[in-house]
C-alpha cells in the first residue's frame, strides 16, 4: 500500500488529501474509491475545457491554468479520457483503391484532413472510413487538407510498424502533380528550411532555424491562359507579385517530409 501511495504522490498529488500520506493503507478502500471518483471528475472537466462546443480545441497550457494543474498532468488526463470515446463516424464519400488483410488504400479528396483535429471533430479521411467500415484503421502518414492523392492506412499494428519503417527509411517515393501560374524552368529544385509560423499555428514559413525541406520539380507542360483571363491578370497581383498569363503542370517530388512542404 505504501508504494501505491508513493506512486500517487509522484504522478497525481492533486488526488491526495492531507491525511493520505499518514494513512499508509489503513483506509485503502475508502481512499481508492474517493481518488477514482476525483480522477473521473478531472477527466470530465479536462474534456469540457479542451473541447468547447462549436469552437477550436483549447491548448493544454490554457486548460492547465484554468484547472490549476501542471500541463503534463492535464495532457495525461486528456489522453486517458479520450480513450473511452470512439471516433465520430462520417457518412461522406471515400474511394477505396485497394484493400487486403493488412492495409487499405484510399483516394483522399481535397478539403478534408487525413485525421481529425481532435477526437470529437469529424470531416477527415479517418472519420469517413469509420463511417464506411465501422472501425478506425491506423494512420501511418498524412496529406495536407487541400491535397488530393493516395492515403495508405494499416489494418493491424504489425502492418503499421512496417509502413512506418518504410516511410522513415524513405523506401516509399511520393510524387505530386501541381498546376501553377507562370512558366518555371523545365526542371529545378527548392532547398529551404521550413518552420512553424510565429503567430499562426496553422501556417509555416521559410526560416534558417527551420527543418530542412528539399523538393525537385519537373515541368510536364505549359500553356497560355485564355485571353480574357490573361487580360484581367495584367492588372492583378498576388501579395505584390503580378499574376502571369501562363500556367504549367508540374511534377513535384519531395525528398524530405515537412508539414506544408508543398502548398
Amino acid at each position: 500500500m505504501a508504494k501505491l501511495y508513493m506512486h500517487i504522490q509522484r504522478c497525481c498529488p492533486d488526488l491526495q488529501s492531507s491525511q493520505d500520506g499518514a494513512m499508509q493503507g489503513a483506509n485503502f478502500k475508502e481512499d481508492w474509491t474517493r481518488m477514482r471518483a476525483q480522477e473521473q471528475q478531472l477527466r470530465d472537466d479536462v474534456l469540457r475545457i479542451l473541447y468547447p462546443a462549436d469552437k477550436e480545441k483549447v491548448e493544454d497550457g490554457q486548460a492547465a491554468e484554468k484547472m490549476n494543474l501542471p500541463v503534463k498532468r492535464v495532457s495525461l488526463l486528456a489522453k486517458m479520457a479520450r480513450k473511452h470515446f470512439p471516433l465520430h463516424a462520417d457518412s461522406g464519400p471515400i474511394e477505396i483503391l485497394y484493400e487486403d488483410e493488412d492495409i487499405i488504400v484510399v483516394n483522399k479528396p481535397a478539403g478534408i484532413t487525413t485525421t481529425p483535429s481532435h477526437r470529437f471533430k469529424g470531416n477527415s479521411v479517418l472519420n469517413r472510413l469509420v463511417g464506411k467500415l465501422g472501425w478506425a484503421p491506423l494512420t501511418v502518414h498524412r496529406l495536407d487538407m487541400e491535397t488530393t492523392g493516395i492515403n495508405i492506412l494499416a489494418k493491424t499494428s504489425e502492418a503499421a510498424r512496417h509502413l512506418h519503417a518504410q516511410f522513415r527509411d524513405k523506401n516509399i517515393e511520393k510524387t505530386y502533380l501541381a498546376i501553377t501560374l507562370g512558366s518555371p524552368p523545365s526542371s529545378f529544385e527548392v532547398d529551404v528550411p521550413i518552420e512553424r509560423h510565429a503567430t499562426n499555428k496553422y501556417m509555416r514559413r521559410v526560416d534558417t532555424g527551420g527543418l530542412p525541406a528539399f523538393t525537385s520539380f519537373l515541368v510536364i507542360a505549359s500553356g497560355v491562359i485564355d485571353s480574357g483571363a490573361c487580360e484581367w491578370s495584367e492588372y492583378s497581383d498576388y501579395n505584390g507579385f503580378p499574376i502571369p498569363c501562363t500556367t504549367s503542370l508540374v511534377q513535384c517530388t519531395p525528398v524530405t517530409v515537412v508539414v506544408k512542404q508543398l502548398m
Side-chain angles (χ1 to χ4, degrees):
M1 298 300 177
K3 288 184 178 180
L4 178 60
Y5 279 115
M6 288 174 64
H7 170 72
I8 292 171
Q9 189 173 22
R10 287 194 301 269
C11 80
C12 34
D14 50 280
L15 296 181
Q16 288 190 304
S17 70
S18 59
Q19 297 179 337
D20 285 343
M23 287 178 181
Q24 296 295 322
N27 297 296
F28 173 75
K29 186 175 181 179
E30 292 82 356
D31 287 348
W32 185 245
T33 300
R34 173 183 57 77
M35 286 188 285
R36 286 187 63 183
Q38 282 182 257
E39 178 75 3
Q40 186 57 55
Q41 184 60 56
L42 286 170
R43 292 181 185 180
D44 293 342
D45 290 344
V46 79
L47 290 182
R48 175 177 50 79
I49 294 170
L50 286 175
Y51 304 106
D54 301 323
K55 294 181 181 179
E56 288 295 321
K57 177 184 177 298
V58 172
E59 295 296 330
D60 288 5
Q62 294 174 278
E65 289 182 12
K66 289 185 178 182
M67 299 179 71
N68 195 29
L69 291 172
V71 176
K72 187 176 180 180
R73 172 78 166 120
V74 167
S75 298
L76 181 59
L77 284 167
K79 180 180 179 180
M80 299 305 295
R82 285 191 294 259
K83 288 184 176 181
H84 298 285
F85 290 86
L87 283 174
H88 178 72
D90 280 357
S91 58
I94 188 73
E95 180 186 5
I96 296 178
L97 302 174
Y98 174 81
E99 183 177 4
D100 61 25
E101 61 184 10
D102 296 309
I103 66 172
I104 182 167
V105 181
V106 303
N107 183 17
K108 177 194 169 300
I112 66 172
T113 56
T114 301
T115 56
S117 58
H118 60 71
R119 201 169 188 84
F120 309 110
K121 189 173 183 178
N123 197 33
S124 75
V125 168
L126 199 57
N127 293 108
R128 291 189 182 188
L129 282 173
V130 171
K132 191 178 186 69
L133 304 174
W135 54 277
L138 303 172
T139 305
V140 295
H141 75 113
R142 292 175 174 81
L143 295 177
D144 288 336
M145 179 183 287
E146 297 306 327
T147 302
T148 64
I150 292 176
N151 247 167
I152 307 172
L153 300 99
K155 285 186 169 183
T156 66
S157 298
E158 183 179 1
R161 285 194 296 272
H162 284 292
L163 287 169
H164 273 302
Q166 291 181 65
F167 276 104
R168 182 193 64 224
D169 298 336
K170 296 183 173 60
N171 293 326
I172 296 177
E173 182 176 305
K174 295 179 286 184
T175 302
Y176 299 83
L177 293 176
I179 296 176
T180 69
L181 288 171
S183 299
S186 58
S187 64
F188 60 100
E189 298 173 341
V190 175
D191 184 7
V192 293
I194 297 175
E195 74 164 8
R196 187 184 295 272
H197 194 276
T199 57
N200 189 326
K201 66 179 181 180
Y202 300 108
M203 296 179 65
R204 297 296 186 272
R205 65 179 182 180
V206 173
D207 191 277
T208 54
L211 295 172
F214 181 87
T215 308
S216 61
F217 298 88
L218 176 66
V219 176
I220 298 173
S222 294
V224 178
I225 302 174
D226 68 83
S227 58
C230 184
E231 182 179 352
W232 169 82
S233 71
E234 291 177 347
Y235 304 98
S236 305
D237 61 71
Y238 178 74
N239 286 347
F241 296 95
I243 296 178
C245 296
T246 56
T247 185
S248 301
L249 177 64
V250 181
Q251 176 181 298
C252 318
T253 305
V255 177
T256 55
V257 182
V258 179
V259 174
K260 298 192 181 298
Q261 181 169 329
L262 295 173
M263 295 178 61

